[in-house]
């Protein structure tokens, strides 16, 4: 079944995109990446015999794959043309859902809480306190060591 899935994915990739990469993912499915269109399609075996789960998503700027935005289940033996049509529908759904949202306007009547500025003097006082405590601990350790050494 997996060999048939790989062969079908390679045929499907040639129909969809001229420039593509086909590889097997960690779950045993097959992924088709179209870097030039910033999209990917995944074919994986479902629990029922002869059916394949088709998923489509975007490729982010760094080259990582975003989670799937659309998916459907098809029969693997339905033919390359029908699978390609289903993939094109998923890619269209992905393109529509990938459109940037319009910026939201702030709600009227809700004021943002004022952020309180922390005084710079408090930060300096914290560092002075830390240095004093550390110095006292080192001094106590030196006195204890010297008195232990003198007692021997």
């Amino acid at each position: 079944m997996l060999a048939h899935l790989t062969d079908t994915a390679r045929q499907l990739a040639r129909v969809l995109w001229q420039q593509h990469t086909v590889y097997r993912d960690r779950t045993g499915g097959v992924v088709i990446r179209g870097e030039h269109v910033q999209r990917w399609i995944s074919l994986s075996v479902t629990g029922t015999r002869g059916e394949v789960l088709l998923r489509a998503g975007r490729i982010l700027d760094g080259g990582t794959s975003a989670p799937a935005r659309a998916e459907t289940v098809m029969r693997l033996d339905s033919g390359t043309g029908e699978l390609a049509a289903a993939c094109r529908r998923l890619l269209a759904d992905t393109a529509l859902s990938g459109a940037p949202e319009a910026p939201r306007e702030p709600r009227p009547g809700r004021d943002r809480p004022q952020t309180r500025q922390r005084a710079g003097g408090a930060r300096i006082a914290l560092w002075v306190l830390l240095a004093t405590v550390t110095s006292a601990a080192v001094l106590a350790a030196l006195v204890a060591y010297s008195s232990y050494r003198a007692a021997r």
Side-chain angles (χ1 to χ4, degrees):
M1 178 76 174
L2 292 176
H4 184 57
L5 183 66
T6 304
D7 293 338
T8 304
R10 290 187 196 284
Q11 292 172 1
L12 189 59
R14 282 192 293 268
V15 170
L16 292 173
W17 299 312
Q18 289 180 350
Q19 300 172 357
H20 59 271
T21 305
V22 179
Y23 62 92
R24 188 172 300 274
D25 66 357
R26 286 178 282 185
T27 61
V30 181
V31 178
I32 306 167
R33 287 176 67 103
E35 297 287 340
H36 62 290
V37 291
Q38 297 293 310
R39 300 285 183 257
W40 60 265
I41 297 172
S42 169
L43 288 82
S44 59
V45 179
T46 61
T48 58
R49 184 164 224 175
E51 289 187 343
V52 64
L53 175 65
L54 297 173
R55 299 170 59 215
R58 296 181 350 202
I59 298 175
L60 302 176
D61 289 335
T64 59
S65 300
R69 296 204 174 238
E71 61 183 42
T72 188
V73 176
M74 297 271 306
R75 300 256 333 142
L76 187 57
D77 59 359
S78 60
T80 307
E82 289 183 35
L83 288 173
C87 288
R88 286 187 182 112
R89 282 192 299 272
L90 292 176
L91 291 169
D93 291 345
T94 301
L96 290 177
S97 66
E101 297 180 8
R104 295 182 187 174
E105 293 186 25
R107 294 181 188 172
R110 293 187 78 183
D111 292 332
R112 293 184 180 224
Q114 294 290 333
T115 57
R116 192 174 61 145
Q117 295 286 332
R118 188 179 272 189
R123 182 169 290 160
I124 292 172
L126 180 64
W127 279 108
V128 169
L129 179 66
L130 182 64
T132 304
V133 169
T134 304
S135 299
V138 167
L139 184 61
L142 286 174
V143 168
Y145 178 72
S146 66
S147 63
Y148 172 75
R149 188 91 166 147
R152 289 197 330 164

